């Protein structure tokens, strides 16, 4: 689907500073309430437990295989969305947006992310680098673009074939997050093997290793708990109750991460042109319909999140409305349906290259022409 009346984000240095943008946001948007944050925790835990009880009490006993399959898909989708909400709260904890207390943020984030087999401290450190280097061609931490000269012949053929592109897209969506955590799939290139589960990975400093061990221990404990459940309930039971929602949650995460940072009208900068503000503006707010509400509006307030990551989700929409007049054309919003945007991202955003002309040196845009 072609996009009409859409122009590139301005790539010249913005006429405003981050201080100008901050002044436009009401001060209360930066306030974090422990009581209010925990109210969302309580709601999500109750929602998740209720879905589990309904599924195990009524649907797991369904004798019709067809009905069971339909119910299982519905359960996985609903529970996967709740898992995503739980992940978002853990994500906010990593940014100190949950409360004013670091120990409380890390405790809640550690518990929630470990439940989702997500190494909290490992990802917290790499995600902070993503925020500090957003839009930086050579140092983007996750899902950074490649140059035209780096595109392999095999990938050119894959991306030009709709069936092959659908297969590649499906594999990336289904397994992109676990592979990123395990082997740095689609992550920034390091001088040796990198993994979020390796305390000695080049991703981490010596001072961070103890917390990486702690993250690993929590994920191993969660994995061991699932293993014991398999022995008691069976592999099929665990796959239905936990595995399906887990895959939905990780799939939604990779879709959101891709679409917020992959757009043919949003630039990347090399070392000569990049600075933190320009890079942070190289993000896109999206409209996912009802999923906006399910995901705490994190989908359509991502620009504000990159500029001010300590703003809690319940103030993000108000902050977004406040900064739009200041950002002007530098604010990028795309309301294209999610499934169309994802297909277009894999079709149109294959590599990046500079425009011709000296005035465009150091500024790169996505393209797919060979």
């Amino acid at each position: 689907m072609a996009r009409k009346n859409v122009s590139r984000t301005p790539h010249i240095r913005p006429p405003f500073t981050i201080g100008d943008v901050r002044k436009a946001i009401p001060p209360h948007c930066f306030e974090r309430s422990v009581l209010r944050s925990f109210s969302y925790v309580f709601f999500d835990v109750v929602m998740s437990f209720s879905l589990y009880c309904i599924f195990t009490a009524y649907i797991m006993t369904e004798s019709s295989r067809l009905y069971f399959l339909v119910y299982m898909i519905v359960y996985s989708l609903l529970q996967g969305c709740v898992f995503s909400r739980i992940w978002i709260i853990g994500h906010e904890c990593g940014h100190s947006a949950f409360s004013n207390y670091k120990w409380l943020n890390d405790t809640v984030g550690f518990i929630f992310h470990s439940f989702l087999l997500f190494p909290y401290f490992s990802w917290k450190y790499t995600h902070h680098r993503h925020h500090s280097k957003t839009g930086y061609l050579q140092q983007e931490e996750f899902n950074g673009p490649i140059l035209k000269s780096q595109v392999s012949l095999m990938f050119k053929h894959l991306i030009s074939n709709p069936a092959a592109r659908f297969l590649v897209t499906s594999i990336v969506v289904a397994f992109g997050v676990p592979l990123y955590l395990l082997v740095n799939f689609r992550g920034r290139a390091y001088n040796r093997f990198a993994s979020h589960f390796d305390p000695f990975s080049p991703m981490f400093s010596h001072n961070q290793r103890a917390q990486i061990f702690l993250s690993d221990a929590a994920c191993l404990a969660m994995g061991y708990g699932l293993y014991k459940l398999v022995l008691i309930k069976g592999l099929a039971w665990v796959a239905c109750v936990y595995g399906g929602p887990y895959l939905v949650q990780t799939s939604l995460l990779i879709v959101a991460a891709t679409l917020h940072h992959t757009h043919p009208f949003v630039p990347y900068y090399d070392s000569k042109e990049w600075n933190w503000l320009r890079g942070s503006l190289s993000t896109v707010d999206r409209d996912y319909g009802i999923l906006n509400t399910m995901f705490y509006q994190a989908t359509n307030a991502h620009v504000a999140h990159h500029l001010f990551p300590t703003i809690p989700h319940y103030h993000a929409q108000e902050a977004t409305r406040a900064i739009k007049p200041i950002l002007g054309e530098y604010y990028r919003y795309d309301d294209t349906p999610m499934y169309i945007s994802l297909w277009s991202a894999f079709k149109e955003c294959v590599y990046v290259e500079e425009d011709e002309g000296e005035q465009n040196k150091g500024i790169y845009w996505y393209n797919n022409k060979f």
Side-chain angles (χ1 to χ4, degrees):
M1 176 178 289
R3 296 181 176 88
K4 298 180 180 179
N5 301 321
V6 180
S7 60
R8 286 177 168 180
T9 301
H11 56 271
I12 60 174
R13 295 183 183 273
F16 48 81
T17 66
I18 189 63
D20 297 329
V21 182
R22 186 183 180 92
K23 289 176 184 177
I25 301 176
H28 71 264
C29 287
F30 295 93
E31 297 175 359
R32 295 154 291 187
S33 166
V34 172
L35 184 63
R36 186 168 182 180
S37 293
F38 267 110
S39 70
Y40 295 103
V41 171
F42 177 78
F43 178 82
D44 289 344
V45 171
V46 169
M47 175 89 68
S48 180
F49 186 70
S50 299
L51 287 170
Y52 161 79
C53 290
I54 293 171
F55 183 72
T56 55
Y58 301 103
I59 300 174
M60 290 291 282
T61 59
E62 175 61 56
S63 58
S64 169
R65 291 185 177 180
L66 176 61
Y67 282 123
F68 175 77
L69 179 62
V70 172
Y71 293 146
M72 188 187 74
I73 292 173
V74 172
Y75 165 78
S76 295
L77 290 173
L78 292 176
Q79 188 73 285
C81 286
V82 178
F83 278 14
S84 295
R85 289 168 65 92
I86 290 173
W87 185 91
I88 289 170
I89 289 178
H91 162 257
E92 291 211 328
C93 289
H95 283 295
S96 298
F98 185 82
S99 76
N100 294 327
Y101 309 101
K102 184 178 183 300
W103 67 268
L104 183 59
N105 293 328
D106 284 342
T107 300
V108 174
F110 179 74
I111 293 171
F112 271 19
H113 273 192
S114 298
F115 170 74
L116 298 171
L117 295 175
F118 223 86
Y120 172 74
F121 289 108
S122 310
W123 183 82
K124 173 183 173 180
Y125 291 131
T126 59
H127 187 64
H128 281 192
R129 284 202 298 276
H130 159 66
H131 271 259
S132 66
K133 299 295 183 180
T134 304
Y136 197 147
L137 180 64
Q138 294 91 346
Q139 296 188 31
E140 172 60 78
E141 191 67 29
F142 175 70
N143 198 31
I146 59 176
L147 300 175
K148 185 176 183 179
S149 59
Q150 297 173 312
V151 181
S152 66
L153 181 62
M154 182 181 72
F155 192 72
K156 291 178 183 178
H157 290 303
L158 283 175
I159 214 69
S160 62
N161 183 296
R165 184 164 65 249
F166 178 80
L167 178 62
V168 170
T169 303
S170 301
I171 292 174
V172 170
V173 168
F175 304 109
V177 167
L179 288 174
Y180 170 62
L181 296 175
L182 283 169
V183 297
N184 198 33
F185 171 68
R186 301 184 80 196
R188 172 187 167 188
Y190 287 91
N191 56 4
R192 59 185 177 86
F193 175 75
S195 170
H196 283 77
F197 294 97
D198 178 9
F200 301 95
S201 169
M203 292 175 163
F204 311 116
S205 69
H206 175 79
N207 294 332
Q208 296 169 346
R209 287 177 185 168
Q211 290 183 317
I212 310 308
F213 274 115
L214 186 60
S215 296
D216 290 353
C219 289
L220 283 173
M222 183 63 192
Y224 181 73
L226 292 173
Y227 166 72
K228 296 296 286 186
L229 274 178
V230 168
L231 296 181
I232 298 170
K233 295 288 191 177
L235 179 60
W237 189 93
V238 174
C240 292
V241 171
Y242 183 87
Y246 170 81
L247 285 176
V248 169
Q249 181 264 317
T250 56
S251 297
L252 290 172
L253 177 56
I254 196 71
V255 169
T258 299
L259 294 185
H260 284 309
H261 298 281
T262 308
H263 199 288
F265 304 114
V266 173
Y268 272 81
Y269 304 93
D270 70 10
S271 58
K272 299 187 296 293
E273 291 292 332
W274 182 88
N275 63 42
W276 180 84
L277 180 57
R278 297 176 86 183
S280 296
L281 292 172
S282 296
T283 56
V284 187
D285 280 355
R286 300 279 189 172
D287 183 7
Y288 295 164
I290 192 173
L291 291 180
N292 291 338
T293 301
M294 288 296 296
F295 298 158
Y296 287 130
Q297 307 298 330
T299 50
N300 54 7
H302 199 72
V303 175
H305 168 68
H306 262 266
L307 294 173
F308 306 101
T310 60
I311 291 179
H313 65 82
Y314 41 84
H315 291 317
Q317 280 294 293
E318 183 178 0
T320 297
R321 290 192 295 270
I323 66 176
K324 281 183 182 180
I326 305 298
L327 301 186
E329 292 183 306
Y330 287 84
Y331 174 76
R332 173 61 66 202
Y333 175 82
D334 192 337
D335 61 358
T336 306
M338 182 170 61
Y339 65 94
I340 296 177
S341 296
L342 186 65
W343 181 253
S344 298
F346 277 85
K347 178 183 178 182
E348 300 174 20
C349 302
V350 178
Y351 62 86
V352 293
E353 65 178 353
E354 294 175 299
D355 284 340
E356 295 181 358
E358 285 298 321
Q359 70 275 17
N360 296 317
K361 292 295 183 182
I363 303 170
Y364 293 74
W365 303 89
Y366 275 111
N367 206 333
N368 64 349
K369 307 299 182 186
F370 292 102

